Amino acid sequence: MYLVKVYVTFKKGILDPQGVTIQGALEALDYKSVRDVRTGKYMELRLEAPTAEAAREQAEEMARRLLANPVIEDYRLEVEEAQA
Amino acid sequence: MKFGVVVFPGSNCDADCHHAVKNVLGAECDYLWHQDTSVAGYDAIILPGGFSYGDYLRTGAIARFSPIMAAVADFARAGGLVLGICNGFQILLEAGLLPGAMRRNAGLSFRCEFVNVRVENAATPFTSAYQAGQVLRLPIAHGEGNYYADPATLAALEAGRQVVLRYSEPDGRITPAANPNGSLGNVAALVNKEGNVLGMMPHPERSSEAILGSEDGRGILTSMLQYLQRRRAR
């Protein structure tokens, strides 16, 4: 069993309206040091696979097809062994 | 002429579309279930507005894999008329039947109001009942209608006159103030390169009768019907 952590973020240069709003709210709280806020999605998949490499390959395909929209989003995967 | 309105779990404008096509336009219309695998026998398919699959993950992302969408994609590739309204537009983008993607509205607010859109291209099967440059008053209701395409894609859309409707001032000027959601190029509706697949954020079915406050949307459906009649006559 493997635990795959999937991080989906907007591509560079894509306006992130939620990030802009959060940055404005932080400024309003007087946190003037914040230069940029980017939001994203975090997903955990627990999946069966013979090896970590196989788990990554499966998750890559899932990310490409469904979990991220390649037009506006990038994704990053972390694969860990997990208890069955 | 037979129209089909696809019902996804979470569609909420399906009955409005069905009513507009059947009772206002006077054409045959059936509901199609998202688990159906064929659209054989239909002349036009409508993907209605709503919140398919609760809009979980991304708007339209899960609906795009509904069994019926493979049939809709084949139908579109064969030249069939497909109209995606609001959530239906989002589904067409996720399915790759139209280029680009939707982001949350700039300002993050859900916008539910009448807007003005200018007809940019009246030479499509969806807009022939209008004049180019005509300004329509249509209702919108969406939280994710902020259209994005990379610069090369946007340039190709502009060059191909695929931007069919643009958010405008009542006098037709295209200004940032007239843009309710931050869409690049004030895009409100797009057609594919072949001209047979249209996605639009405003709701033509909700502006097809005077009692609804505007009849300006009816021309979309009228154009489709006239196109189908002309095609059949050939």
Side-chain angles (χ1 to χ4, degrees):
Chain A
M1 181 79 79
Y2 290 90
L3 172 66
V4 181
K5 298 175 174 177
V6 184
Y7 301 85
V8 178
T9 51
F10 283 108
K11 284 184 171 169
K12 257 199 197 99
I14 303 278
L15 175 77
D16 173 4
Q18 292 186 86
V20 171
T21 305
I22 294 165
Q23 186 181 354
L26 288 170
E27 269 171 29
L29 292 173
D30 230 20
Y31 295 108
K32 306 289 190 197
S33 57
V34 180
R35 293 289 165 264
D36 192 26
V37 177
R38 307 285 286 170
T39 63
K41 297 188 186 92
Y42 172 70
M43 290 166 252
E44 289 185 351
L45 314 177
R46 288 166 59 82
L47 51 89
E48 296 278 6
T51 64
E53 202 39 51
R56 176 177 292 276
E57 267 175 37
Q58 283 186 37
E60 283 269 353
E61 186 183 318
M62 294 175 203
R64 247 192 343 265
R65 292 187 64 199
L66 177 65
L67 306 180
N69 180 340
V71 176
I72 50 173
E73 293 172 332
D74 287 325
Y75 61 86
R76 182 166 62 78
L77 304 178
E78 287 172 9
V79 182
E80 300 171 6
E81 273 189 60
Q83 297 287 327
Chain B
M1 297 303 157
K2 205 157 145 196
F3 286 64
V5 176
V6 178
V7 181
F8 296 99
S11 294
N12 65 11
C13 301
D14 44 347
D16 307 54
C17 286
H18 188 270
H19 166 77
V21 171
K22 195 169 176 210
N23 302 322
V24 181
L25 193 65
E28 252 188 283
C29 192
D30 292 337
Y31 291 111
L32 301 171
W33 189 230
H34 67 110
Q35 284 175 331
D36 291 349
T37 52
S38 166
V39 296
Y42 290 90
D43 299 294
I45 301 296
I46 299 179
L47 308 182
F51 298 86
S52 58
Y53 297 87
D55 277 349
Y56 293 138
L57 188 62
R58 294 181 309 277
T59 54
I62 299 176
R64 168 247 189 288
F65 288 104
S66 282
I68 199 164
M69 283 307 294
V72 171
D74 288 344
F75 178 78
R77 275 185 220 108
L81 285 193
V82 179
L83 169 64
I85 301 165
C86 198
N87 192 235
F89 187 8
Q90 295 161 341
I91 295 169
L92 289 174
L93 294 172
E94 284 285 338
L97 290 170
L98 290 172
M102 288 296 181
R103 301 164 297 181
R104 290 283 299 276
N105 290 350
L108 302 184
S109 56
F110 188 97
R111 302 292 296 260
C112 183
E113 63 206 52
F114 273 96
V115 297
N116 297 292
V117 296
R118 189 174 78 187
V119 177
E120 301 291 276
N121 185 347
T124 79
F126 303 91
T127 51
S128 57
Y130 302 116
Q131 304 292 320
Q134 189 178 342
V135 176
L136 314 176
R137 197 166 155 273
L138 303 178
I140 57 165
H142 61 251
E144 293 197 17
N146 185 350
Y147 180 76
Y148 174 84
D150 63 61
T153 304
L154 198 63
L157 289 172
E158 296 285 1
R161 301 187 60 224
Q162 290 173 250
V163 179
V164 167
L165 302 174
R166 247 187 259 272
Y167 300 110
S168 77
E169 301 289 342
D171 63 6
R173 280 177 305 124
I174 306 300
T175 65
N179 188 340
N181 51 34
S183 282
L184 286 184
N186 282 38
V187 168
L190 279 184
V191 74
N192 65 342
K193 213 181 296 172
E194 294 74 20
N196 64 307
V197 177
L198 183 93
M200 61 188 292
M201 289 314 291
H203 286 269
E205 79 285 8
R206 289 189 197 170
S207 48
S208 57
E209 294 170 277
I211 196 172
L212 299 173
S214 170
E215 300 178 87
D216 290 355
R218 192 167 63 220
I220 299 282
L221 301 173
T222 310
S223 301
M224 292 171 74
L225 185 63
Q226 288 171 349
Y227 172 84
L228 292 169
Q229 285 165 341
R230 282 196 306 271
R231 193 167 71 175
R232 184 164 290 182
R234 275 205 301 269

